Amino acid sequence: MSLFKQSISSSEQYSRANIDSLLALANELKSLDSLGRVPQCLTGRVMSSLFFENSSRTYCSFVAAMQKLGGSVVSLPIESSSFASKGESLFDTIKTVDSYSDVIVLRHPDPNAISVACGATEHSVVLNAGNGAGEHPTQALLDVFTIHSELGRIDDLNVVLVGDLKFGRTVHSLSKLLGKFNNVRLYCVAHDSLQMPNEVLKSLDSVSVSLHNELTKELVSEADVIYVTRVQKERFSTEEEYEAVKGKFCVNASLLSTAKPAGQMVVMHPLPRNEELSTDLDSDPRAAYFRQMRYGLYARMALLIETLGASLLSTCE
Amino acid sequence: MSLFKQSISSSEQYSRANIDSLLALANELKSLDSLGRVPQCLTGRVMSSLFFENSSRTYCSFVAAMQKLGGSVVSLPIESSSFASKGESLFDTIKTVDSYSDVIVLRHPDPNAISVACGATEHSVVLNAGNGAGEHPTQALLDVFTIHSELGRIDDLNVVLVGDLKFGRTVHSLSKLLGKFNNVRLYCVAHDSLQMPNEVLKSLDSVSVSLHNELTKELVSEADVIYVTRVQKERFSTEEEYEAVKGKFCVNASLLSTAKPAGQMVVMHPLPRNEELSTDLDSDPRAAYFRQMRYGLYARMALLIETLGASLLSTCE
Amino acid sequence: MSLFKQSISSSEQYSRANIDSLLALANELKSLDSLGRVPQCLTGRVMSSLFFENSSRTYCSFVAAMQKLGGSVVSLPIESSSFASKGESLFDTIKTVDSYSDVIVLRHPDPNAISVACGATEHSVVLNAGNGAGEHPTQALLDVFTIHSELGRIDDLNVVLVGDLKFGRTVHSLSKLLGKFNNVRLYCVAHDSLQMPNEVLKSLDSVSVSLHNELTKELVSEADVIYVTRVQKERFSTEEEYEAVKGKFCVNASLLSTAKPAGQMVVMHPLPRNEELSTDLDSDPRAAYFRQMRYGLYARMALLIETLGASLLSTCE
């Protein structure tokens, strides 16, 4: 099914065909941008960003994606918004925003907010930019675009997920999306208290998954992708426990000495990072985490074009 | 007189001919938008939004209106502005903003701020987006556009105004504007302490006005428009007084059982709402308050085009 | 050397040829704007504004400049940013912003921030919009554009700098820039504790500089430019000291009675002002401080075009 006029709440909504089409489009946009020929195909369209919690990286990426295609953005810092301060319901707020928008990008701490939004809109598609402990489907999309661009394939991969796999919605959405590809093996490496939740594991029946509590040299040397997520001190009951754990899952230059060479493996991270990802990796060609954000720009541009039904051809510059 | 290069401080500035022209233009923009053919006729023009108090709905509507026409917006959340924090006078701030703007949208708690702004500008027109207890002339414009679009006329109407008519500048501006049409009868329904102020009543000499302190079945059954405004607890001296009053002026589905059918009457509200407007009306076709915000988008687009002297024809997409 | 792809940290980077070229371009943009023919030559380009301290005037001027040329802006109020609140390093933040930007405008209290930013970028040029007590090179550029536009020349001028010359980075950048012209004489007028720092004086070896602690009639009558800067109470140890000093350096209508006539001299100020610049000058034709902000718009447009390598001809409206 085409994504035209589809709101996106979960990464499970993308079919394999959708992903192939989005990645091809993202790749074309990347080429066009390098030639300075990005089509202004969303001219006259309006995106509203409704961020009920802070997420500067996701926010900026969406705004830049919309504007590079000629569209415009109405942003409202929710703190200073009179919607919330006058006690308006989320339904009424969405009705208001829907009156002038073509697409609403919603970030909300409540996992159910996204379905309220989808139910209230009449003119706009809604894109989930993170709903509490739920999903983050555009992050998952940019992650597979990164893997595809860097390694040339998504099928037949050893993917090592490291860090906080319990609360990191990024790895939940990514795992579900990788489940649509063939021969993906997931190695979940985390402290016992931060392992991948059962609900997510259950949805991964077509994937080979194994759980580990150490990042061994064997895992590192087999990995095509090491995907690191931030470990937050607040998740641990004592500072000592955190200190004891953090070193075990730290990805740095010396760890990568046994890994596959550049071109055959990448290190990814959704950022921001704490100590789990060392800056001594920053200049290693296998460190893909800064490039990952740029892939995100093109992945979001592609998603905007497909959900809004624009054409690259009709209104090129 | 044409509105070209005219700043708009009060709804009394619109002549009947201006309104007819603005509504025709707003209607045309609505049609063009539904075809995806909004003209980019404000390309290169800059709107500055200066909101010295929060009003998310009005702010977003203006920003979207400007951007849909190809114009750009420089927005400054006043809280974080260094203009105010460095103690700058309003005159100097407007001089600054005027240096890069074509139009300034001003919201200010002080009713006199709008004339300071009009006196300081050299390059920009100023549009009043609410000046304290004063006026809100673009809200009045969108209200008459809503009535005209929904009922096909503005002359010869029974308009019931309900709620807080004392502090609601929206109903002040709307009443003055309705005074320019023929055979409009205003029924002001409010608790005695919240009735329409004498100053406004005096300016309505050509209108038939009656005051009521109950929303009777007779009024409801005669109404072509029921315009509800928010009743705020803070306006009452005691919580008991508020509780006693609020039920009397609540507009809900059961109240509308004696009203005219869909197509012949509408319920409007400037939003946000409290309990005076029940959500059980939301799916009633006579509930026009969500559509009202969309009419607002086109009304503001029309006003921008006329005050900035742009032409739909010259630079169509 | 052309400014194409050059980040600008200091006003010392502009060669005399760069300045001549920028001023000619700024002047052409001013003419095109008055005809409503500003070229949309930055369409598809993205500016990021990163303001780690407030500066509404500089911020708005840059945003308007970018947007008038068809470019778009991703702005992030740093207070509400999750970059800083999640403890991200400036290097990582710049890496993030660089992933979707063509130009980054940076304001930061730390003088070294600008070199961190220049070192982290791969896709974007960085423009210094004020780095602590360091420099403000776009302000210096707009100041010389103002002088050139108002007086027809920059060489052979008597420039009187008045106010806080110690902490005012504006006058530091301007002095360095004026040092590139011929026969500029600088008269530094300030309370002893607020005189021009030695470091700046040392870099002005080709300029004739004299220090004064009184704004005498002789100085006023010789001046082609009187450049006033804000004197802040906080710079003085006691209120009495401030009160004693402030009158001595106040520029007002009576002081200008012995000055050269309109067309031959101007009063400038970077704004905002305190009592050191009287409002009784506002309607004097020699008061150039409001026009100065408009010159700033065109100066910044010119700098964006040159550093981004756009052409006025290629994509004119």
Side-chain angles (χ1 to χ4, degrees):
Chain A
M1 197 174 71
S2 143
L3 294 175
F4 179 43
K5 291 196 177 173
Q6 299 296 308
S7 289
I8 305 290
S9 352
S10 161
S11 66
E12 297 187 279
Q13 284 175 263
Y14 309 120
S15 70
R16 176 74 194 248
N18 291 149
I19 298 169
D20 290 344
S21 160
L22 285 166
L23 299 195
L25 180 52
N27 203 47
E28 189 177 351
L29 290 163
K30 188 163 175 287
S31 303
L32 288 168
D33 193 22
S34 70
L35 302 167
R37 305 294 307 161
V38 174
Q40 299 298 290
C41 56
L42 297 183
T43 298
R45 309 290 189 99
V46 175
M47 170 196 281
S48 284
S49 72
L50 271 184
F51 276 62
F52 287 83
E53 59 182 19
N54 274 332
S55 175
S56 307
R57 205 172 320 269
T58 303
Y59 166 79
C60 289
S61 175
F62 263 115
V63 172
M66 185 69 182
Q67 294 185 157
K68 276 185 89 77
L69 292 165
S72 61
V73 178
V74 181
S75 301
L76 199 69
I78 287 299
E79 312 78 276
S80 76
S81 155
S82 64
F83 291 145
S85 66
K86 289 179 184 165
E88 188 168 79
S89 69
L90 180 63
F91 182 86
D92 278 15
T93 298
I94 297 288
K95 276 294 197 193
T96 299
V97 171
D98 184 48
S99 74
Y100 53 79
S101 305
D102 299 286
V103 50
I104 298 173
V105 177
L106 180 69
R107 171 86 157 217
H108 203 287
D110 178 356
N112 299 316
I114 189 77
S115 43
V116 172
C118 292
T121 46
E122 207 177 322
H123 308 101
S124 322
V125 299
V126 182
L127 302 181
N128 183 0
N131 58 331
E135 289 236 22
H136 196 347
T138 62
Q139 177 75 40
L141 182 66
L142 78 87
D143 287 340
V144 299
F145 183 46
T146 302
I147 295 171
H148 191 266
S149 300
E150 295 274 328
L151 300 180
R153 69 185 194 283
I154 305 171
D155 300 297
D156 194 27
L157 284 177
N158 294 324
V159 178
V160 176
L161 304 170
V162 194
D164 177 352
L165 309 184
K166 184 171 181 188
F167 297 99
R169 75 189 143 198
T170 293
V171 288
H172 305 169
S173 284
L174 175 60
S175 299
K176 289 175 187 173
L177 200 50
L178 288 174
K180 303 192 186 258
F181 292 83
N182 301 316
N183 281 325
V184 173
R185 288 164 298 279
L186 287 185
Y187 302 86
C188 299
V189 183
H191 187 253
D192 289 347
S193 64
L194 295 177
Q195 261 296 0
M196 190 69 91
N198 279 324
E199 312 85 80
V200 179
L201 292 172
K202 271 180 217 153
S203 68
L204 299 177
D205 48 357
S206 65
V207 188
S208 150
V209 184
S210 57
L211 306 185
H212 307 260
N213 53 24
E214 232 155 321
L215 184 53
T216 62
K217 291 209 163 182
E218 290 70 37
L219 283 171
V220 169
S221 63
E222 292 293 317
D224 301 302
V225 176
I226 299 181
Y227 195 104
V228 194
T229 62
R230 194 158 56 117
V231 178
Q232 294 174 276
K233 214 178 278 192
E234 309 86 88
R235 303 298 188 197
F236 295 86
S237 38
T238 65
E239 173 111 14
E240 289 72 37
E241 201 183 2
Y242 169 71
E243 292 295 327
V245 165
K246 77 174 187 193
K248 284 177 67 182
F249 306 109
C250 181
V251 176
N252 55 28
S254 97
L255 186 85
L256 282 207
S257 59
T258 60
K260 295 182 181 176
Q264 293 179 40
M265 78 84 64
V266 283
V267 177
M268 296 170 66
H269 191 300
L271 301 181
R273 59 177 157 186
N274 282 336
E275 296 163 79
E276 74 283 341
L277 178 65
S278 170
T279 56
D280 73 3
L281 265 181
D282 288 4
S283 55
D284 189 307
R286 296 168 294 185
Y289 37 87
F290 293 135
R291 296 192 292 276
Q292 195 176 344
M293 296 187 287
R294 194 159 174 93
Y295 292 122
L297 177 68
Y298 301 113
R300 291 192 171 107
M301 286 166 76
L303 188 63
L304 288 169
I305 288 175
E306 296 228 339
T307 54
L308 293 175
S311 156
L312 288 200
L313 295 176
S314 61
T315 52
C316 278
E317 261 185 285
Chain B
M1 197 174 72
S2 144
L3 295 175
F4 179 44
K5 292 196 176 172
Q6 298 296 308
S7 289
I8 305 290
S9 350
S10 161
S11 67
E12 296 187 279
Q13 283 174 262
Y14 309 120
S15 69
R16 176 73 194 248
N18 292 148
I19 298 168
D20 289 345
S21 161
L22 286 166
L23 298 195
L25 180 53
N27 202 48
E28 189 177 351
L29 290 163
K30 188 164 175 288
S31 304
L32 288 168
D33 193 23
S34 70
L35 302 167
R37 305 294 306 162
V38 175
Q40 300 297 291
C41 57
L42 298 183
T43 298
R45 309 290 189 101
V46 175
M47 169 196 283
S48 284
S49 72
L50 271 185
F51 276 61
F52 287 83
E53 61 183 17
N54 274 332
S55 174
S56 307
R57 206 171 319 271
T58 302
Y59 166 78
C60 290
S61 175
F62 263 115
V63 172
M66 185 69 181
Q67 294 185 155
K68 276 184 90 76
L69 293 164
S72 60
V73 178
V74 181
S75 300
L76 199 70
I78 287 298
E79 312 79 276
S80 75
S81 155
S82 63
F83 291 145
S85 66
K86 291 181 185 165
E88 187 168 81
S89 70
L90 181 63
F91 182 85
D92 278 15
T93 298
I94 297 288
K95 276 295 197 193
T96 300
V97 171
D98 183 48
S99 73
Y100 54 78
S101 305
D102 299 286
V103 50
I104 297 172
V105 176
L106 180 70
R107 172 87 157 215
H108 203 288
D110 178 356
N112 299 317
I114 189 77
S115 42
V116 173
C118 293
T121 46
E122 208 178 322
H123 308 101
S124 323
V125 297
V126 183
L127 302 181
N128 182 0
N131 58 331
E135 288 236 22
H136 196 348
T138 62
Q139 178 74 40
L141 182 67
L142 79 87
D143 287 340
V144 299
F145 183 47
T146 302
I147 295 171
H148 190 265
S149 300
E150 295 273 327
L151 300 180
R153 70 184 193 286
I154 304 171
D155 300 297
D156 194 26
L157 284 175
N158 294 324
V159 178
V160 177
L161 305 170
V162 194
D164 177 352
L165 310 184
K166 184 169 180 188
F167 298 99
R169 75 191 143 198
T170 294
V171 287
H172 304 168
S173 284
L174 175 60
S175 299
K176 289 175 187 174
L177 200 50
L178 289 173
K180 301 191 186 261
F181 293 83
N182 300 316
N183 283 322
V184 172
R185 287 164 297 281
L186 287 184
Y187 303 86
C188 301
V189 182
H191 186 253
D192 290 346
S193 64
L194 295 176
Q195 261 297 358
M196 190 69 91
N198 278 325
E199 311 86 79
V200 179
L201 291 173
K202 270 181 217 157
S203 69
L204 300 176
D205 49 358
S206 66
V207 187
S208 148
V209 184
S210 58
L211 306 185
H212 307 261
N213 54 25
E214 230 154 324
L215 184 54
T216 62
K217 291 209 165 181
E218 290 70 37
L219 283 171
V220 170
S221 64
E222 292 293 318
D224 301 302
V225 176
I226 300 182
Y227 195 104
V228 194
T229 62
R230 195 156 56 114
V231 178
Q232 294 174 275
K233 214 178 276 191
E234 309 86 88
R235 303 298 188 199
F236 295 87
S237 38
T238 65
E239 173 111 15
E240 290 72 37
E241 200 183 1
Y242 169 70
E243 292 295 328
V245 164
K246 77 173 187 192
K248 285 177 66 181
F249 305 109
C250 180
V251 175
N252 55 27
S254 96
L255 185 87
L256 282 208
S257 60
T258 59
K260 293 182 182 177
Q264 292 179 39
M265 78 85 62
V266 284
V267 177
M268 296 169 66
H269 192 298
L271 301 179
R273 58 178 158 186
N274 283 336
E275 296 164 78
E276 74 283 342
L277 178 64
S278 171
T279 57
D280 73 3
L281 265 181
D282 288 3
S283 55
D284 188 308
R286 295 168 295 186
Y289 37 87
F290 292 135
R291 297 192 291 277
Q292 194 177 346
M293 295 187 287
R294 194 159 174 93
Y295 292 121
L297 177 68
Y298 302 113
R300 292 192 171 107
M301 286 165 78
L303 188 63
L304 288 168
I305 288 175
E306 297 228 340
T307 53
L308 293 175
S311 156
L312 288 200
L313 295 176
S314 61
T315 53
C316 278
E317 261 188 284
Chain C
M1 196 173 73
S2 144
L3 295 175
F4 179 44
K5 293 196 175 172
Q6 298 296 309
S7 290
I8 305 289
S9 350
S10 161
S11 65
E12 296 186 277
Q13 283 175 263
Y14 308 120
S15 70
R16 175 73 195 248
N18 292 149
I19 297 169
D20 289 343
S21 161
L22 286 167
L23 299 196
L25 180 52
N27 202 47
E28 188 177 352
L29 290 163
K30 188 164 175 285
S31 304
L32 288 167
D33 192 23
S34 70
L35 301 168
R37 308 292 308 162
V38 175
Q40 299 297 290
C41 56
L42 297 183
T43 298
R45 308 289 189 101
V46 175
M47 169 196 282
S48 285
S49 72
L50 272 184
F51 276 60
F52 287 83
E53 61 182 17
N54 274 331
S55 174
S56 307
R57 204 171 321 271
T58 303
Y59 166 79
C60 290
S61 175
F62 264 116
V63 172
M66 185 68 181
Q67 295 184 155
K68 277 185 89 78
L69 293 165
S72 60
V73 179
V74 181
S75 300
L76 199 69
I78 287 298
E79 312 79 277
S80 76
S81 156
S82 65
F83 291 145
S85 66
K86 292 180 184 165
E88 188 168 79
S89 70
L90 181 63
F91 182 85
D92 278 15
T93 297
I94 297 288
K95 276 295 196 193
T96 299
V97 171
D98 183 47
S99 74
Y100 54 78
S101 305
D102 299 286
V103 51
I104 298 172
V105 177
L106 180 70
R107 172 86 158 215
H108 203 288
D110 178 356
N112 299 317
I114 189 76
S115 42
V116 173
C118 292
T121 47
E122 207 177 321
H123 308 100
S124 323
V125 298
V126 182
L127 302 181
N128 182 0
N131 58 331
E135 287 236 23
H136 196 347
T138 62
Q139 178 75 39
L141 183 66
L142 80 86
D143 287 340
V144 299
F145 183 46
T146 302
I147 295 171
H148 190 265
S149 300
E150 295 273 328
L151 301 180
R153 71 184 193 285
I154 305 171
D155 300 297
D156 195 25
L157 283 176
N158 294 323
V159 178
V160 176
L161 304 170
V162 194
D164 177 353
L165 308 185
K166 182 169 181 189
F167 297 99
R169 75 190 143 198
T170 294
V171 287
H172 304 167
S173 284
L174 175 60
S175 298
K176 290 174 187 175
L177 200 50
L178 289 173
K180 302 191 187 261
F181 293 82
N182 301 316
N183 282 323
V184 173
R185 287 163 297 280
L186 287 185
Y187 302 87
C188 300
V189 183
H191 185 252
D192 289 345
S193 64
L194 295 177
Q195 261 296 1
M196 190 69 92
N198 278 325
E199 311 86 81
V200 179
L201 292 173
K202 271 180 216 156
S203 69
L204 300 176
D205 48 357
S206 67
V207 188
S208 148
V209 185
S210 58
L211 306 185
H212 307 260
N213 54 22
E214 232 156 320
L215 185 54
T216 61
K217 290 209 164 180
E218 289 69 37
L219 283 172
V220 169
S221 62
E222 292 293 318
D224 301 302
V225 175
I226 299 182
Y227 195 104
V228 193
T229 62
R230 194 156 56 115
V231 178
Q232 295 175 274
K233 215 179 275 191
E234 309 87 88
R235 303 297 187 199
F236 294 87
S237 39
T238 66
E239 174 111 15
E240 289 73 39
E241 200 184 0
Y242 169 70
E243 293 296 327
V245 164
K246 77 174 186 193
K248 283 177 67 181
F249 305 109
C250 180
V251 175
N252 55 25
S254 96
L255 185 86
L256 283 207
S257 59
T258 59
K260 293 183 182 176
Q264 292 179 39
M265 77 84 63
V266 284
V267 177
M268 296 170 66
H269 192 298
L271 300 180
R273 58 177 157 187
N274 282 336
E275 296 164 78
E276 74 282 344
L277 178 64
S278 171
T279 57
D280 72 3
L281 264 181
D282 287 4
S283 53
D284 189 307
R286 294 169 294 185
Y289 37 89
F290 292 135
R291 297 192 291 277
Q292 194 177 346
M293 296 186 288
R294 194 159 175 93
Y295 292 122
L297 177 68
Y298 301 114
R300 291 192 171 107
M301 287 166 76
L303 188 63
L304 287 169
I305 288 175
E306 297 229 338
T307 54
L308 293 175
S311 156
L312 287 200
L313 294 176
S314 62
T315 52
C316 277
E317 262 186 283

